[in-house]
Amino acid sequence: MTISSPIVAGRSCGTCTLCCRLPEIDEFDKPADAWCAHCAAGQGCSIYADRPSVCRDFLCLWMTREDLGAEWEPARSHLMIYGQGPQITVLADPDQPDLWRREPYHGQLKAWAGEMAPAGGYVIVFWRDEVHKI
């Protein structure tokens, strides 16, 4: 995952816990799309003060990119987006079939992929066991 960047003024994780569910977290032997044993639903991390650096250093792109509007807030979009090397990775909520293919999301994902392609970058979407390169 990406190292943290400055948080956009006025943004916070709030009650969003998608980062506790969607990614695989080796430190906890947690598979993708499974809830972390330390996540208190609707509240957040029960070991917040002692969480490992992989959790401490992570911020999704909605937290760090001012150009992402309210529709990209993970609790609303059901998408967790982060930068990873030459790619943008999208983890889509397994309970939301094909939401990432709807607007405004799909159009923006395609635009990012087009902007990144000349430098070898791309957008990749993970939904359940499916992997989609845009």
Side-chain angles (χ1 to χ4, degrees):
M1 295 191 193
T2 190
I3 300 299
S4 61
S5 300
I7 295 174
V8 173
R11 292 195 182 168
S12 71
C13 295
T15 59
C16 178
T17 54
L18 284 181
C19 64
C20 300
R21 179 182 186 196
L22 301 182
E24 179 178 332
I25 303 174
D26 292 335
E27 285 80 348
F28 295 131
D29 200 26
K30 187 198 96 50
D33 298 335
W35 286 103
C36 176
H38 303 289
C39 180
Q43 296 177 12
C45 183
S46 64
I47 61 165
Y48 188 82
D50 298 317
R51 68 197 187 284
S53 62
V54 68
C55 299
R56 185 178 305 276
D57 295 341
F58 177 76
L59 289 172
C60 70
L61 288 183
W62 183 78
M63 291 287 290
T64 63
R65 285 188 54 165
E66 227 174 295
D67 62 330
L68 294 180
E71 70 277 10
W72 287 95
E73 180 181 4
R76 177 186 284 184
S77 68
H78 301 275
L79 303 171
M80 190 182 93
I81 304 168
Y82 60 95
Q84 187 176 24
Q87 74 187 42
I88 290 178
T89 300
V90 179
L91 303 181
D93 186 333
D95 298 334
Q96 300 292 322
D98 292 331
L99 181 65
W100 66 272
R101 293 182 195 256
R102 298 183 201 148
E103 294 305 328
Y105 310 113
H106 194 252
Q108 183 61 63
L109 297 174
K110 284 174 46 176
W112 287 335
E115 292 167 10
M116 297 169 67
Y122 53 93
V123 174
I124 192 161
V125 178
F126 294 89
W127 180 74
R128 294 188 177 177
D129 292 334
E130 298 177 14
V131 180
H132 303 271
K133 184 177 177 186
I134 299 177

